[in-house]
Amino acid sequence: MNNKIDFLLKLFVTIILLFFLIFKIGLNSIYQTFLNLNPIYLVLIIPVFFVVFILGAINIAILLIPLGHNLKFSNILKYYSLSWAAGLLTPAKLGEFSIIYHFNKHNISLGPSTATILLDKIITTL
């Protein structure tokens, strides 16, 4: 039952965001942008995004090894992708720290998970 409520809530938020964007930007502007889009760029962008997500998840997985927590790589990749998406919606990409919430589900306490994510951000910045 809880999964159905989560899905419906996500669907509702998605629909509201789409309508807001279409209303704010305008349907004609969106259409013109798609007409001007070169399909070759789209074909090239998709693999680059996958590589970026995989490398980011590998970074997190490597940083979690000393903590003795063995999360499946697929879970780390999923949580990394979700936190990246949350970062797009929040100021200063603070939503990327939502991965800490997901780590808490797997009994990784707040301190080590926060340190891991901060260390990842520092390494990425350097």
Side-chain angles (χ1 to χ4, degrees):
M1 182 68 172
N2 196 14
N3 288 337
K4 289 181 182 180
I5 293 172
D6 287 345
F7 174 76
L8 290 175
L9 182 63
K10 290 176 187 177
L11 182 65
F12 179 70
V13 169
T14 302
I15 291 171
I16 287 178
L17 284 174
L18 282 175
F19 278 121
F20 176 75
L21 287 173
I22 290 171
F23 175 74
K24 195 72 172 165
I25 297 171
L27 196 55
N28 191 32
S29 295
I30 295 171
Y31 178 70
Q32 290 300 321
T33 302
F34 278 117
L35 285 180
N36 294 331
L37 180 68
N38 190 346
I40 295 295
Y41 293 143
L42 187 61
V43 171
L44 295 174
I45 288 172
I46 293 171
V48 169
F49 268 106
F50 281 122
V51 169
V52 167
F53 284 134
I54 289 171
L55 288 176
I58 288 172
N59 288 343
I60 300 293
I62 289 171
L63 291 172
L64 285 175
I65 289 172
L67 299 176
H69 298 285
N70 295 326
L71 285 173
K72 291 182 180 178
F73 183 75
S74 60
N75 285 337
I76 295 173
L77 183 62
K78 175 183 171 185
Y79 299 151
Y80 184 80
S81 300
L82 290 172
S83 69
W84 175 81
L88 291 176
L89 299 174
T90 57
K93 297 181 86 172
L94 289 174
E96 289 186 6
F97 287 97
S98 67
I99 197 168
I100 296 168
Y101 167 76
H102 297 292
F103 286 166
N104 194 23
K105 292 180 192 176
H106 294 278
N107 297 325
I108 301 174
S109 62
L110 182 64
S113 61
T114 303
T116 301
I117 300 308
L118 283 175
L119 187 59
D120 176 56
K121 297 302 173 199
I122 290 169
I123 290 170
T124 303
T125 302
L126 294 176

mmCIF file of all heavy atoms in Angstrom, residues 60-70 103 107-117:
data_model
loop_
_atom_site.group_PDB
_atom_site.id
_atom_site.type_symbol
_atom_site.label_atom_id
_atom_site.label_comp_id
_atom_site.label_asym_id
_atom_site.label_seq_id
_atom_site.Cartn_x
_atom_site.Cartn_y
_atom_site.Cartn_z
ATOM 1 N N ILE A 60 31.590 6.748 -4.382
ATOM 2 C CA ILE A 60 30.903 6.523 -3.107
ATOM 3 C C ILE A 60 31.192 5.118 -2.590
ATOM 4 O O ILE A 60 31.462 4.924 -1.402
ATOM 5 C CB ILE A 60 29.384 6.738 -3.256
ATOM 6 C CG1 ILE A 60 29.072 8.156 -3.710
ATOM 7 C CG2 ILE A 60 28.652 6.407 -1.973
ATOM 8 C CD1 ILE A 60 29.384 9.243 -2.732
ATOM 9 N N ALA A 61 31.159 4.129 -3.470
ATOM 10 C CA ALA A 61 31.417 2.746 -3.057
ATOM 11 C C ALA A 61 32.832 2.593 -2.491
ATOM 12 O O ALA A 61 33.034 1.921 -1.475
ATOM 13 C CB ALA A 61 31.205 1.798 -4.230
ATOM 14 N N ILE A 62 33.797 3.241 -3.131
ATOM 15 C CA ILE A 62 35.183 3.161 -2.647
ATOM 16 C C ILE A 62 35.311 3.830 -1.287
ATOM 17 O O ILE A 62 35.999 3.319 -0.393
ATOM 18 C CB ILE A 62 36.145 3.795 -3.675
ATOM 19 C CG1 ILE A 62 36.237 2.899 -4.910
ATOM 20 C CG2 ILE A 62 37.527 4.027 -3.076
ATOM 21 C CD1 ILE A 62 36.973 3.522 -6.071
ATOM 22 N N LEU A 63 34.644 4.960 -1.108
ATOM 23 C CA LEU A 63 34.716 5.656 0.175
ATOM 24 C C LEU A 63 33.975 4.915 1.289
ATOM 25 O O LEU A 63 34.272 5.116 2.463
ATOM 26 C CB LEU A 63 34.170 7.078 0.027
ATOM 27 C CG LEU A 63 35.033 8.022 -0.811
ATOM 28 C CD1 LEU A 63 34.307 9.329 -1.047
ATOM 29 C CD2 LEU A 63 36.374 8.245 -0.150
ATOM 30 N N LEU A 64 33.030 4.068 0.935
ATOM 31 C CA LEU A 64 32.308 3.289 1.949
ATOM 32 C C LEU A 64 33.063 2.039 2.387
ATOM 33 O O LEU A 64 32.759 1.478 3.440
ATOM 34 C CB LEU A 64 30.924 2.895 1.429
ATOM 35 C CG LEU A 64 29.868 3.984 1.386
ATOM 36 C CD1 LEU A 64 28.597 3.457 0.732
ATOM 37 C CD2 LEU A 64 29.572 4.520 2.773
ATOM 38 N N ILE A 65 34.039 1.599 1.616
ATOM 39 C CA ILE A 65 34.767 0.368 1.944
ATOM 40 C C ILE A 65 35.418 0.424 3.324
ATOM 41 O O ILE A 65 35.261 -0.509 4.115
ATOM 42 C CB ILE A 65 35.796 0.029 0.843
ATOM 43 C CG1 ILE A 65 35.067 -0.430 -0.420
ATOM 44 C CG2 ILE A 65 36.769 -1.049 1.308
ATOM 45 C CD1 ILE A 65 35.975 -0.602 -1.624
ATOM 46 N N PRO A 66 36.144 1.501 3.688
ATOM 47 C CA PRO A 66 36.766 1.519 5.020
ATOM 48 C C PRO A 66 35.769 1.511 6.173
ATOM 49 O O PRO A 66 36.120 1.147 7.293
ATOM 50 C CB PRO A 66 37.568 2.829 5.036
ATOM 51 C CG PRO A 66 37.726 3.220 3.636
ATOM 52 C CD PRO A 66 36.562 2.652 2.896
ATOM 53 N N LEU A 67 34.533 1.897 5.904
ATOM 54 C CA LEU A 67 33.528 1.896 6.964
ATOM 55 C C LEU A 67 32.973 0.503 7.227
ATOM 56 O O LEU A 67 32.248 0.296 8.197
ATOM 57 C CB LEU A 67 32.381 2.841 6.601
ATOM 58 C CG LEU A 67 32.764 4.306 6.422
ATOM 59 C CD1 LEU A 67 31.559 5.112 5.976
ATOM 60 C CD2 LEU A 67 33.341 4.860 7.707
ATOM 61 N N GLY A 68 33.291 -0.444 6.372
ATOM 62 C CA GLY A 68 32.834 -1.816 6.554
ATOM 63 C C GLY A 68 31.391 -2.037 6.166
ATOM 64 O O GLY A 68 30.789 -3.026 6.570
ATOM 65 N N HIS A 69 30.837 -1.151 5.393
ATOM 66 C CA HIS A 69 29.449 -1.293 4.950
ATOM 67 C C HIS A 69 29.448 -1.762 3.508
ATOM 68 O O HIS A 69 29.992 -1.108 2.633
ATOM 69 C CB HIS A 69 28.699 0.029 5.069
ATOM 70 C CG HIS A 69 28.630 0.516 6.469
ATOM 71 N ND1 HIS A 69 27.789 -0.036 7.397
ATOM 72 C CD2 HIS A 69 29.320 1.482 7.112
ATOM 73 C CE1 HIS A 69 27.944 0.582 8.546
ATOM 74 N NE2 HIS A 69 28.878 1.513 8.400
ATOM 75 N N ASN A 70 28.833 -2.888 3.282
ATOM 76 C CA ASN A 70 28.810 -3.475 1.939
ATOM 77 C C ASN A 70 27.429 -3.312 1.320
ATOM 78 O O ASN A 70 26.588 -4.197 1.400
ATOM 79 C CB ASN A 70 29.204 -4.947 1.984
ATOM 80 C CG ASN A 70 30.635 -5.137 2.423
ATOM 81 O OD1 ASN A 70 31.486 -4.317 2.119
ATOM 82 N ND2 ASN A 70 30.897 -6.203 3.156
ATOM 83 N N PHE A 103 21.355 6.065 2.939
ATOM 84 C CA PHE A 103 22.339 5.252 3.657
ATOM 85 C C PHE A 103 21.827 4.878 5.035
ATOM 86 O O PHE A 103 22.131 3.804 5.545
ATOM 87 C CB PHE A 103 23.663 6.000 3.784
ATOM 88 C CG PHE A 103 24.456 6.088 2.512
ATOM 89 C CD1 PHE A 103 25.516 6.964 2.403
ATOM 90 C CD2 PHE A 103 24.154 5.298 1.408
ATOM 91 C CE1 PHE A 103 26.256 7.051 1.234
ATOM 92 C CE2 PHE A 103 24.875 5.370 0.246
ATOM 93 C CZ PHE A 103 25.929 6.255 0.159
ATOM 94 N N ASN A 107 21.510 1.115 7.761
ATOM 95 C CA ASN A 107 22.214 1.160 9.044
ATOM 96 C C ASN A 107 23.601 1.783 8.960
ATOM 97 O O ASN A 107 24.514 1.380 9.678
ATOM 98 C CB ASN A 107 22.293 -0.228 9.681
ATOM 99 C CG ASN A 107 20.918 -0.774 10.005
ATOM 100 O OD1 ASN A 107 20.017 -0.013 10.375
ATOM 101 N ND2 ASN A 107 20.743 -2.071 9.858
ATOM 102 N N ILE A 108 23.775 2.738 8.080
ATOM 103 C CA ILE A 108 24.995 3.538 8.066
ATOM 104 C C ILE A 108 24.634 4.826 8.800
ATOM 105 O O ILE A 108 23.781 5.583 8.350
ATOM 106 C CB ILE A 108 25.472 3.837 6.633
ATOM 107 C CG1 ILE A 108 25.734 2.535 5.881
ATOM 108 C CG2 ILE A 108 26.722 4.694 6.662
ATOM 109 C CD1 ILE A 108 26.075 2.731 4.429
ATOM 110 N N SER A 109 25.280 5.052 9.932
ATOM 111 C CA SER A 109 24.880 6.167 10.789
ATOM 112 C C SER A 109 25.172 7.514 10.143
ATOM 113 O O SER A 109 25.883 7.612 9.141
ATOM 114 C CB SER A 109 25.564 6.060 12.151
ATOM 115 O OG SER A 109 26.958 6.127 11.989
ATOM 116 N N LEU A 110 24.626 8.546 10.747
ATOM 117 C CA LEU A 110 24.690 9.895 10.202
ATOM 118 C C LEU A 110 26.123 10.406 10.064
ATOM 119 O O LEU A 110 26.479 10.987 9.039
ATOM 120 C CB LEU A 110 23.878 10.841 11.092
ATOM 121 C CG LEU A 110 23.794 12.293 10.663
ATOM 122 C CD1 LEU A 110 23.062 12.412 9.345
ATOM 123 C CD2 LEU A 110 23.105 13.114 11.729
ATOM 124 N N GLY A 111 26.948 10.196 11.061
ATOM 125 C CA GLY A 111 28.325 10.704 11.038
ATOM 126 C C GLY A 111 29.156 10.145 9.892
ATOM 127 O O GLY A 111 29.693 10.908 9.076
ATOM 128 N N PRO A 112 29.296 8.818 9.815
ATOM 129 C CA PRO A 112 30.098 8.257 8.722
ATOM 130 C C PRO A 112 29.537 8.543 7.330
ATOM 131 O O PRO A 112 30.305 8.799 6.398
ATOM 132 C CB PRO A 112 30.085 6.756 9.004
ATOM 133 C CG PRO A 112 29.807 6.638 10.450
ATOM 134 C CD PRO A 112 28.931 7.794 10.793
ATOM 135 N N SER A 113 28.220 8.537 7.193
ATOM 136 C CA SER A 113 27.661 8.802 5.862
ATOM 137 C C SER A 113 27.866 10.264 5.467
ATOM 138 O O SER A 113 28.185 10.551 4.314
ATOM 139 C CB SER A 113 26.185 8.421 5.801
ATOM 140 O OG SER A 113 25.428 9.166 6.729
ATOM 141 N N THR A 114 27.726 11.183 6.410
ATOM 142 C CA THR A 114 27.968 12.592 6.115
ATOM 143 C C THR A 114 29.436 12.819 5.768
ATOM 144 O O THR A 114 29.760 13.543 4.815
ATOM 145 C CB THR A 114 27.563 13.476 7.304
ATOM 146 O OG1 THR A 114 26.194 13.233 7.622
ATOM 147 C CG2 THR A 114 27.750 14.951 6.984
ATOM 148 N N ALA A 115 30.334 12.194 6.526
ATOM 149 C CA ALA A 115 31.764 12.323 6.248
ATOM 150 C C ALA A 115 32.097 11.766 4.866
ATOM 151 O O ALA A 115 32.892 12.352 4.124
ATOM 152 C CB ALA A 115 32.570 11.604 7.317
ATOM 153 N N THR A 116 31.487 10.656 4.508
ATOM 154 C CA THR A 116 31.731 10.050 3.198
ATOM 155 C C THR A 116 31.288 10.979 2.069
ATOM 156 O O THR A 116 32.027 11.195 1.104
ATOM 157 C CB THR A 116 30.986 8.701 3.091
ATOM 158 O OG1 THR A 116 31.440 7.838 4.119
ATOM 159 C CG2 THR A 116 31.194 8.067 1.735
ATOM 160 N N ILE A 117 30.102 11.551 2.205
ATOM 161 C CA ILE A 117 29.583 12.419 1.152
ATOM 162 C C ILE A 117 30.393 13.714 1.079
ATOM 163 O O ILE A 117 30.713 14.194 -0.017
ATOM 164 C CB ILE A 117 28.080 12.711 1.376
ATOM 165 C CG1 ILE A 117 27.286 11.403 1.358
ATOM 166 C CG2 ILE A 117 27.555 13.672 0.326
ATOM 167 C CD1 ILE A 117 27.536 10.532 0.144
#
